[in-house]
Amino acid sequence: MSTMRTRSRALGSWVRVVLLGLCLGAPVHGEDGVESAWRQRLSVAQQLLDSARTRSETARNTYQDWRQRKYPRGTRKKELILEIDAAEKAEAEAEARFAGLLDQARQGGANAGLLREFE
């Protein structure tokens, strides 16, 4: 019975270490520093892409709502159109950067399982 407790405690300790590593973003068993670095870079790029998509969608929706009410006129309309253009340009740049980073990760030997998380 004491060996079961020892095994249970050892397993519990290992689980705590793995969970702590996941929470802190540290490499987990089987993941080296290179994989961890790619995961971090891809995660940041994906967050930037999501942010750009949200900005673009918000700008388009705002303009569409205002058009339905026939409200945007003059300089405010021009500002909205410029914001839509800037948001769409930022989204396209973020998509291109993210796709390029995925290609770099593939060529750099990143694990296929890691790449699937971001595709």
Side-chain angles (χ1 to χ4, degrees):
M1 183 157 168
S2 67
T3 54
M4 277 179 72
R5 282 187 188 162
T6 306
R7 287 182 186 166
S8 172
R9 286 182 185 160
L11 181 62
S13 298
W14 182 82
V15 168
R16 276 187 242 125
V17 168
V18 169
L19 289 175
L20 181 63
L22 286 173
C23 291
L24 296 177
V28 182
H29 179 68
E31 183 175 300
D32 59 358
V34 174
E35 295 261 339
S36 178
W38 277 117
R39 182 180 307 280
Q40 184 177 7
R41 289 179 67 192
L42 288 168
S43 177
V44 168
Q46 188 173 40
Q47 288 172 355
L48 291 173
L49 176 59
D50 291 342
S51 174
R53 284 180 177 162
T54 301
R55 176 184 171 203
S56 179
E57 184 178 330
T58 301
R60 283 190 301 262
N61 288 343
T62 300
Y63 184 72
Q64 187 64 30
D65 289 346
W66 282 29
R67 275 190 68 200
Q68 288 176 354
R69 291 188 235 149
K70 297 180 181 171
Y71 183 74
R73 293 188 180 148
T75 57
R76 182 62 183 142
K77 182 177 180 179
K78 289 178 186 176
E79 289 172 359
L80 278 172
I81 291 172
L82 289 175
E83 171 62 20
I84 290 170
D85 290 341
E88 288 176 348
K89 182 179 177 183
E91 181 181 5
E93 289 172 358
E95 285 177 354
R97 250 191 325 262
F98 187 69
L101 192 59
L102 279 173
D103 288 340
Q104 285 179 6
R106 274 189 204 94
Q107 292 171 358
N111 186 354
L114 170 70
L115 296 174
R116 273 188 227 113
E117 291 178 30
F118 295 97
E119 290 179 327

